[in-house]
Amino acid sequence: MKSRLLNLLAMAAIMVACTAQPSIIKTPTPERPAGQEDMIQFACDPIPDVGIGVVGLGMRGGSAVERLSFVPGSHVAAVCDVEDDRAQASYNYLKAKGIEANVYSGSEDAYKQLCEDPSVDLVYVCTDWIHHVPVALYAMEHGKHVAVEVPSAETLQACWDLVNTSERTRRHCVILENCCYDFFELTALTMAQAGVFGEIIHAEGAYHHNLDPFWGAYWHNWRLEFNKEHRGDLYPTHGFGPVCQALNIHRGDRLTTLVAMDTDPFNGPKHLKAAGMEGNFANGDVTMTMLRTAKGKTILIEHDVLTPRPYNRMYQLVGTDGYAGKYPIEEVCLRTEGAENVNYQNLDGEKVYRWGELQQLMAQYRNPILTPELEAMAKEVGGHGGMDFIMDYRMIYCLNHGLPQDMDVYDLAEWCCVTELSRISLENGGMPVEVPDFTRGAWDKVQGFSYAFAEE
């Protein structure tokens, strides 16, 4: 009898545990400081010829200088790097094109001189990750708009610092997420906005990129060091940003909760040893993060830079009536009107568009920013097939015409906060973590993602 009673009590305890609401780790949303207003749809006075100052002239920055020299409505006014030779190389490139730029180099604080340079309107930050936020904050404090490479911030505090400084100084703080401007993502977004897929209810994105051949190319091995010291999705925005646009995040919906899981670090320690570095390796080889929105939509993102999996950003949009996916092959799947002859051996019950058929379908949904002239110029100048140039072009176009930017400081904070939130979830056994509302209640002020255009 006693044994039976104990069994019943144990079963009751299990039932209570299973029906109880899971606890959520709360993250603070600080009050907006007095006198500040949100930056939703913020636009500054037009700048007819944007003077750009590029800070950090390594792998990304050096190529950015070359690419930016082709963007109409702007000029590279200054370049900066802690290494003199890199600064001089960019200066020489510009001079050969007839562009005179100021040069700042040789010290950790050289970026401050560039941010104080009156010829600079926009500071374009391409440093290693740990210097992104200090440069961006100093630039805004000195009246400059900023554009920050990804990931633009690594902690919640850094995200809030950028949001508050942007709001207080009324300066743009743009995340340089080039994957939002790749050709498939641009077209799929247009199709989603036209209702081709019905209502988008789930999306997936990733950064699967084997960095084995590249670790040593990073200045002082900083990227391997960062993976060694930090756990979580350290590079979320390439896969996350484009799907957030399709889901209208902070434009009618918002992220609410996040959970994460990772593998142990199997390959990381091997790379550490090969690089002659010591210590424990914090980051797992594969990190998976799931998020839920206020309107019941879900997102899955993954991070994997340590296995030989082929390059893949996943990019999937799942709607009530259709689907778009980019990897491993581009395809769109739409509901059919109904099969005349049901064949239960055929698992494809929808119309799948690939190859030539897909190109014909997608040609009907050309993205409004992608004029034939811009597409041709982007492919000629290059930068990841042209998407880098389209990103730069749009940012300068909006500054030239005094328009809101495609990607604002809230996009930056929301897409980058995954790094710390995933770590918090991982360190607490995969518990749900609250996603802060960086807009502080303004997330439904605008309904639907859209691009701004100047009146003809």
Side-chain angles (χ1 to χ4, degrees), residues 291-359:
L291 300 101
R292 188 173 177 86
T293 78
K295 294 191 174 180
K297 317 294 181 67
T298 54
I299 304 172
L300 167 66
I301 56 174
E302 295 181 0
H303 177 261
D304 173 9
V305 296
L306 292 162
T307 77
R309 185 158 36 172
Y311 182 90
N312 186 331
R313 297 199 304 271
M314 281 167 45
Y315 189 73
Q316 296 181 20
L317 301 181
V318 181
T320 54
D321 296 310
Y323 160 90
K326 184 171 182 177
Y327 298 92
I329 62 170
E330 296 179 356
E331 59 184 359
V332 164
C333 180
L334 302 176
R335 288 189 186 278
T336 59
E337 292 299 324
E340 294 181 5
N341 299 307
V342 177
N343 178 0
Y344 291 105
Q345 300 302 314
N346 179 10
L347 300 181
D348 293 329
E350 303 85 13
K351 170 63 177 174
V352 180
Y353 296 82
R354 299 188 182 114
W355 319 123
E357 262 192 321
L358 176 61
Q359 297 309 311

Side-chain angles (χ1 to χ4, degrees), residues 107-119:
S107 76
E108 289 279 346
D109 291 336
Y111 73 86
K112 294 182 178 180
Q113 295 174 278
L114 181 141
C115 293
E116 296 165 7
D117 187 333
S119 70

Side-chain angles (χ1 to χ4, degrees), residues 158-176:
C159 290
W160 281 115
D161 288 345
L162 291 171
V163 166
N164 283 329
T165 305
S166 178
E167 288 183 351
R168 177 169 50 79
T169 61
R170 313 309 288 171
R171 299 290 88 184
H172 287 294
C173 185
V174 178
I175 181 172
L176 290 169

Side-chain angles (χ1 to χ4, degrees), residues 89-119:
S90 289
Y91 170 80
N92 290 342
Y93 171 84
L94 292 169
K95 188 174 182 179
K97 294 190 67 173
I99 303 169
E100 283 293 335
N102 297 326
V103 181
Y104 303 99
S105 66
S107 76
E108 289 279 346
D109 291 336
Y111 73 86
K112 294 182 178 180
Q113 295 174 278
L114 181 141
C115 293
E116 296 165 7
D117 187 333
S119 70

Side-chain angles (χ1 to χ4, degrees), residues 102-394:
N102 297 326
V103 181
Y104 303 99
S105 66
S107 76
E108 289 279 346
D109 291 336
Y111 73 86
K112 294 182 178 180
Q113 295 174 278
L114 181 141
C115 293
E116 296 165 7
D117 187 333
S119 70
V120 172
D121 302 299
L122 169 72
V123 176
Y124 198 105
V125 186
C126 298
T127 64
D128 60 297
W129 299 348
I130 62 173
H131 288 95
H132 283 173
V133 174
V135 176
L137 293 175
Y138 195 84
M140 286 188 284
E141 293 289 1
H142 287 78
K144 314 301 185 186
H145 302 290
V146 293
V148 192
E149 261 295 351
V150 297
S152 307
E154 296 292 339
T155 66
L156 289 175
Q157 185 59 57
C159 290
W160 281 115
D161 288 345
L162 291 171
V163 166
N164 283 329
T165 305
S166 178
E167 288 183 351
R168 177 169 50 79
T169 61
R170 313 309 288 171
R171 299 290 88 184
H172 287 294
C173 185
V174 178
I175 181 172
L176 290 169
E177 184 40 76
N178 55 351
C179 295
C180 290
Y181 297 92
D182 208 353
F183 298 101
F184 186 87
E185 285 87 335
L186 285 170
T187 307
L189 175 60
T190 305
M191 295 176 75
Q193 291 172 327
V196 175
F197 310 122
E199 183 175 3
I200 304 299
I201 60 173
H202 175 75
E204 299 184 10
Y207 188 69
H208 299 157
H209 188 186
N210 178 22
L211 294 183
D212 286 9
F214 303 105
W215 291 119
Y218 293 98
W219 182 66
H220 297 316
N221 255 326
W222 67 261
R223 189 159 181 177
L224 184 59
E225 178 72 22
F226 204 94
N227 277 264
K228 168 185 175 290
E229 296 294 334
H230 298 83
R231 187 181 180 192
D233 190 329
L234 306 186
Y235 202 68
T237 69
H238 280 340
F240 196 37
V243 301
C244 281
Q245 289 185 336
L247 285 166
N248 298 318
I249 298 303
H250 89 250
R251 297 166 177 88
D253 200 357
R254 65 171 293 257
L255 305 169
T256 57
T257 52
L258 169 156
V259 295
M261 184 177 291
D262 63 353
T263 70
D264 285 347
F266 293 94
N267 281 324
K270 300 175 187 176
H271 293 301
L272 206 62
K273 184 177 180 180
M277 300 166 66
E278 298 180 350
N280 296 324
F281 202 90
N283 210 24
D285 284 13
V286 179
T287 302
M288 298 157 287
T289 305
M290 294 183 292
L291 300 101
R292 188 173 177 86
T293 78
K295 294 191 174 180
K297 317 294 181 67
T298 54
I299 304 172
L300 167 66
I301 56 174
E302 295 181 0
H303 177 261
D304 173 9
V305 296
L306 292 162
T307 77
R309 185 158 36 172
Y311 182 90
N312 186 331
R313 297 199 304 271
M314 281 167 45
Y315 189 73
Q316 296 181 20
L317 301 181
V318 181
T320 54
D321 296 310
Y323 160 90
K326 184 171 182 177
Y327 298 92
I329 62 170
E330 296 179 356
E331 59 184 359
V332 164
C333 180
L334 302 176
R335 288 189 186 278
T336 59
E337 292 299 324
E340 294 181 5
N341 299 307
V342 177
N343 178 0
Y344 291 105
Q345 300 302 314
N346 179 10
L347 300 181
D348 293 329
E350 303 85 13
K351 170 63 177 174
V352 180
Y353 296 82
R354 299 188 182 114
W355 319 123
E357 262 192 321
L358 176 61
Q359 297 309 311
Q360 291 178 11
L361 174 65
M362 297 186 83
Q364 302 172 41
Y365 297 94
R366 190 177 188 88
N367 189 279
I369 68 171
L370 199 58
T371 64
E373 294 78 16
L374 176 56
E375 181 175 356
M377 192 173 187
K379 289 179 177 178
E380 181 180 351
V381 175
H384 291 95
M387 62 183 179
D388 293 3
F389 183 82
I390 299 170
M391 171 185 70
D392 295 333
Y393 178 95
R394 274 295 299 174

